[in-house]
Amino acid sequence: MGRRTRSGYFESVPGGGAAVALDEVEVSILRSLAVQLLELVGPGDQPADAQDADPLASLFTEGPSKPPEDPALARLFPDAYDQTADAAEFRRFTENDLRARKRDDALAMVRGLDAGGSVVELTPDDARQWLGALNDLRLTIGTRLEVTEDETSELYRLPDDDERKPLVMAYLWLGGLQESLVEALMK
């Protein structure tokens, strides 16, 4: 792919996509995080035979009516309203689709990374999925770190021996990737 890009920064490509140069360690970390996101999101409460089901019937497959107990999943699948019957109904009919989209986004990232090479080129559709996956990864890590607007400055000054330091570094790195992808797509 003879494209030259700055390492770790997305740049726009003709046709509306983006490209990023990543070294082997960055690819490994990003792939590992995406796989962990896939495991976290999981299949949801879909019936085992959902893939073989009638497509029309699958539109009416109901999902869970309660928010997830895991704080990271609750952040990825928030209530649409206050804790009311409306929120439970909304969740029942939307969470499975949202879960499937989040899985598709993370899988697109894994596939893009597995394609090999030092430069990952994304079509506009791939870039949209990567943006979704990067956002979901940041939300998940931010939830695990209990990031709030007031606390972020403390997290940025952690000593090197703090067990949260690698997560903070990943959180910041993912934010930089996400920001550079948005900027590349806006050009």
Side-chain angles (χ1 to χ4, degrees):
M1 293 199 179
R3 180 170 304 283
R4 300 217 11 125
T5 63
R6 290 185 304 158
S7 181
Y9 291 92
F10 280 95
E11 295 182 10
S12 56
V13 297
V20 65
L22 298 169
D23 65 31
E24 289 179 30
V25 172
E26 291 169 324
V27 168
S28 177
I29 291 169
L30 200 50
R31 188 182 192 290
S32 175
L33 291 171
V35 168
Q36 289 176 54
L37 180 63
L38 283 165
E39 291 170 357
L40 177 67
V41 169
D45 291 340
Q46 296 177 342
D49 61 350
Q51 289 181 341
D52 301 326
D54 174 9
L56 183 59
S58 69
L59 290 174
F60 299 102
T61 301
E62 293 183 15
S65 59
K66 295 180 183 172
E69 291 183 21
D70 181 317
L73 284 174
R75 182 74 172 111
L76 292 174
F77 305 106
D79 278 333
Y81 309 103
D82 294 327
Q83 292 290 52
T84 64
D86 290 340
E89 286 297 303
F90 185 80
R91 180 177 296 282
R92 278 186 32 216
F93 293 107
T94 61
E95 186 171 314
N96 285 342
D97 288 339
L98 184 57
R99 198 175 283 268
R101 195 198 81 220
K102 290 180 181 302
R103 274 194 310 274
D104 290 346
D105 291 350
L107 277 171
M109 179 178 280
V110 169
R111 288 183 184 124
L113 294 166
D114 286 352
S118 61
V119 176
V120 177
E121 288 198 36
L122 305 176
T123 66
D125 286 341
D126 294 336
R128 181 201 56 77
Q129 289 186 291
W130 273 59
L131 276 174
L134 287 168
N135 187 61
D136 291 343
L137 287 169
R138 288 198 72 226
L139 286 172
T140 301
I141 293 171
T143 301
R144 296 285 190 238
L145 289 169
E146 298 178 352
V147 170
T148 66
E149 289 181 35
D150 297 335
E151 292 179 15
T152 54
S153 61
E154 177 244 323
L155 288 173
Y156 298 156
R157 293 187 301 268
L158 292 176
D160 288 341
D161 62 349
D162 190 300
E163 65 185 24
R164 298 172 295 170
K165 183 82 173 206
L167 277 180
V168 171
M169 298 304 292
Y171 179 78
L172 295 172
W173 177 60
L174 291 168
L177 281 175
Q178 186 178 23
E179 184 178 336
S180 73
L181 180 52
V182 168
E183 289 173 0
L185 294 174
M186 293 178 71
K187 291 182 181 178

